[in-house]
Amino acid sequence: MTDRMPPVFRFAPSPNGLLHLGHAYSALLNFQMAQKSSGTFLLRIEDIDTERCRPELEAQMLHDLEWLGIEWDAEPRRQSDHFDDYADALAKLEAKGIIYPAFMSRSEIRRAIEPWGISWQTDPDGVPLYPGEERDLPLEQTARMVTERERHTKRLHMGKACAAPLLPLSWQENGAGPDGETGVITARPEAWGDVVIARSDTPTSYHLAVVVDDALQGVTTVVRGQDLFHSTSVHRLLQTLLELPEPAYHHHRLITDENGNKLSKSRGDISLKAMREAGKSPDDIKRMIGFHE
Ligand code: GLU
């Protein structure tokens, strides 16, 4: 039955900088796919980083999308308004005994792995796996450490989380990964090690918020850049642990700069705002990113 219901798409930018051509491509593709399938197009504001995300950037973001001719079908969902939803999901994972508090700061992690050089394993994004040993400490001891040394993140004990009955996990890829992977993809969450599930300042991380929101918003097809292809392994694991529905995925090509590098929000000159101010039209933007109706 469910696969006959109109699909639900979403574009989920973070207002921590100005939108650029890469965001325009992702937003236009989601919007176009929703229109072609008589589906719904939703907007989600991923602002769990309350320090870097700012209201004026959010307003600018909405303005840029409107300028491109994109319309969304419901009030945008702002993640910072929904920390309770993520706290509930976190509590469910904690009740399974697969979450532990991790106390090492970034610089402590760097120092701990230094002697290992390049032999220290990294995740698919190139971030070193967590070297702390809290995962193996008895719960009473980590509980005591939490009261003594307040500041900590919460990490998923990947070994326990991937326990046999859940595996193998897979997803339907309707686009393609960075190496052309398509069709039914086997998830490899273990490649990510003990991912952060809640940051020190919020009851969530990107991975947790994204799966909770995709489920709450009824998203059926996640259309996003290839840079998030490998994260889907973590998302499938969390969806399974939290008994959330499984969307289909469509990872799309990334827009690159003249040197073939991924666009970055820190490069102001390629922002949609700068281009509009330089006299470019929405059609010019579409042409520049090879977006054909
Ligand atoms: N907020 C993420 C970003 O701006 C996108 C998350 C997603 O599409 O899953 O890169």
Side-chain angles (χ1 to χ4, degrees), residues 237-268:
L237 175 62
L238 292 176
Q239 284 157 355
T240 307
L241 290 165
L242 293 166
E243 296 172 61
L244 301 174
E246 175 186 350
Y249 288 85
H250 181 122
H251 291 92
H252 60 71
R253 68 182 168 90
L254 297 177
I255 306 293
T256 51
D257 67 12
E258 56 280 14
N259 302 317
N261 296 319
K262 197 185 142 192
L263 302 184
S264 146
K265 278 189 181 136
S266 54
R267 243 193 86 179

Side-chain angles (χ1 to χ4, degrees), residues 141-158:
Q141 191 174 339
T142 47
R144 212 171 37 244
M145 288 164 79
V146 168
T147 28
E148 283 162 9
R149 298 179 54 180
E150 277 166 32
R151 202 173 166 82
H152 62 277
T153 59
K154 290 191 175 167
R155 287 182 179 264
L156 187 68
H157 191 309
M158 192 54 87

Side-chain angles (χ1 to χ4, degrees), residues 104-115:
M104 288 175 85
S105 64
R106 285 217 187 114
S107 53
E108 285 170 331
I109 294 176
R110 250 196 319 273
R111 272 199 301 278
I113 63 170
E114 219 162 48

